[in-house]
Amino acid sequence: MSIIGDAGRLPSASGTNTSVSLDAVINAARRLDELSTARVVCEAAEAVHKAQKGGQPVGTLSPQMILVTREGIALDLMAQPSTAHMSPEKLKGHAGDRRSDVFSLGVVLWEALTHERLFDGASEDAIKQAVFDREVQPPSELNANIPSELDAIVKKALARDPAERFPSAKVMAAELSTILDDAGYPDDHSEIEKYLVAEFPAGAIPPKLSSTPAGSGPVKAPTAAARVQLNQTMMGMAPIKDPAELRALAERAAADRKAEDEAKAAEKALSEKAAAKVAADKAAADKAAADKAATDKAAADKAAADKAAADKLAADKLAADKLAADKKATEAKVA
């Protein structure tokens, strides 16, 4: 089953229609430039959206399923699905939804930009575990030509929680299209056609520089000569950085992130300690105020009781004096 995307129909320069898988493009001797790669995945996302029936996912996508032609992008949904491109929820046995396709497209975009395998392992279980918890490195840390805007697209598409992904492949395609428009990328397939004519003049797929059956393990590193070829791009961008340098940059970035996280944790601990001290001081002040209020009330109560006793004593004395006076007056009358 193949589904053609929305790309415009372009006349072929040689009259022959070149059709190769995105997997073949990724493994070709010369890289497809980064913006054209984004265009391929953008059109693949649009084709995926069209292929979804009633909002149901089309299934796990992989670079082998995306066919790149001079006229547009097609999907070969009969290709064998790959565990390394499957969404976490589907690996857990859930049916998934349109956002599961978004995750697969995110893996495809990451791999097409970096020419590396994102989730690999020595066994199916190891690959599944990588999908579940491996940290996803921003593609620009492996390929210095990648715009940061594409890093953001990849990050959102690869969110483990489906609720944090693009709601559909259509929305993801729209975001990619906006980036391409902002970058001034041609609104046609001309750059991709030029690449296909140069790299696949007869439509033949060259031997892969590094190949791995779907989900069977890590991709082998290309030879030194292959690295030189891979560092060539079609649109005159800066050369790809040396892999060793990129690894060093990635390690340094990871160390910087760790140091920043530790600094934030220490700052948070200090802030929490200060907050705890403020709370303790307030509690002590509140207790002191409560104690003073209790003491003042006790003193006031005692003063009131003392006054009441004194008033009663004075009243009793007046009554006694009056009684004595009355008695004396009575006795005087009798005498």
Side-chain angles (χ1 to χ4, degrees):
M1 176 182 178
S2 293
I3 297 174
I4 300 294
D6 265 338
R9 298 287 177 177
L10 298 177
S12 171
S14 63
T16 302
N17 183 41
T18 301
S19 175
V20 296
S21 71
L22 180 56
D23 185 60
V25 172
I26 291 173
N27 287 281
R30 175 177 289 198
R31 290 178 184 263
L32 178 63
D33 69 87
E34 291 72 24
L35 292 180
S36 293
T37 298
R39 171 72 78 195
V40 168
V41 177
C42 174
E43 293 184 2
E46 290 176 346
V48 166
H49 181 75
K50 280 190 172 184
Q52 293 168 338
K53 303 299 182 184
Q56 295 301 309
V58 299
T60 301
L61 298 160
S62 67
Q64 291 88 349
M65 294 181 174
I66 298 173
L67 304 180
V68 185
T69 78
R70 296 177 186 175
E71 297 182 336
I73 303 303
L75 299 180
D76 178 10
L77 299 181
M78 299 303 292
Q80 181 68 27
S82 162
T83 302
H85 298 84
M86 194 175 294
S87 65
E89 61 270 19
K90 295 193 75 172
L91 286 176
K92 292 177 181 177
H94 303 307
D97 55 24
R98 295 189 300 177
R99 296 169 297 180
S100 302
D101 290 343
V102 169
F103 187 90
S104 293
L105 285 166
V107 179
V108 169
L109 179 58
W110 191 97
E111 294 183 345
L113 290 170
T114 65
H115 292 238
E116 300 282 349
R117 176 65 61 80
L118 177 54
F119 301 121
D120 55 19
S123 66
E124 287 290 299
D125 286 341
I127 294 171
K128 289 180 181 179
Q129 198 59 44
V131 174
F132 290 142
D133 57 26
R134 178 171 296 171
E135 180 182 359
V136 177
Q137 197 172 354
S140 63
E141 291 185 4
L142 299 176
N143 177 348
N145 298 329
I146 297 172
S148 60
E149 292 85 353
L150 290 180
D151 281 346
I153 295 286
V154 168
K155 181 179 180 180
K156 189 171 181 66
L158 290 176
R160 260 78 180 202
D161 182 353
E164 296 179 2
R165 297 177 204 151
F166 296 107
S168 69
K170 183 72 172 178
V171 175
M172 180 177 175
E175 292 291 330
L176 286 169
S177 181
T178 298
I179 291 172
L180 292 168
D181 289 344
D182 290 346
Y185 188 87
D187 191 22
D188 56 32
H189 237 236
S190 57
E191 293 297 334
I192 297 171
E193 183 176 16
K194 284 190 289 186
Y195 171 84
L196 292 175
V197 170
E199 289 303 306
F200 306 94
I205 301 176
K208 293 182 179 181
L209 295 174
S210 55
S211 59
T212 301
S216 65
V219 177
K220 295 180 180 178
T223 63
R227 291 183 191 278
V228 174
Q229 288 180 310
L230 283 173
N231 283 343
Q232 303 175 36
T233 62
M234 289 297 295
M235 294 185 73
M237 295 182 179
I240 306 301
K241 291 185 178 180
D242 179 78
E245 181 183 354
L246 287 172
R247 280 194 298 273
L249 287 172
E251 290 171 358
R252 190 178 309 124
D256 289 344
R257 284 196 298 270
K258 182 180 179 183
E260 183 179 353
D261 290 343
E262 290 175 349
K264 286 181 179 178
E267 184 179 353
K268 182 181 178 184
L270 285 174
S271 177
E272 289 175 348
K273 184 178 179 181
K277 184 177 184 305
V278 169
D281 290 345
K282 183 177 184 302
D286 290 345
K287 184 177 183 303
D291 290 346
K292 183 176 184 303
T295 300
D296 291 345
K297 184 176 184 303
D301 290 345
K302 185 176 183 302
D306 290 346
K307 184 176 183 302
D311 289 345
K312 185 177 183 302
L313 184 62
D316 289 346
K317 184 176 182 303
L318 284 175
D321 289 345
K322 184 176 182 301
L323 182 61
D326 290 344
K327 182 181 179 183
K328 185 176 180 181
T330 301
E331 288 175 349
K333 284 180 181 181
V334 170

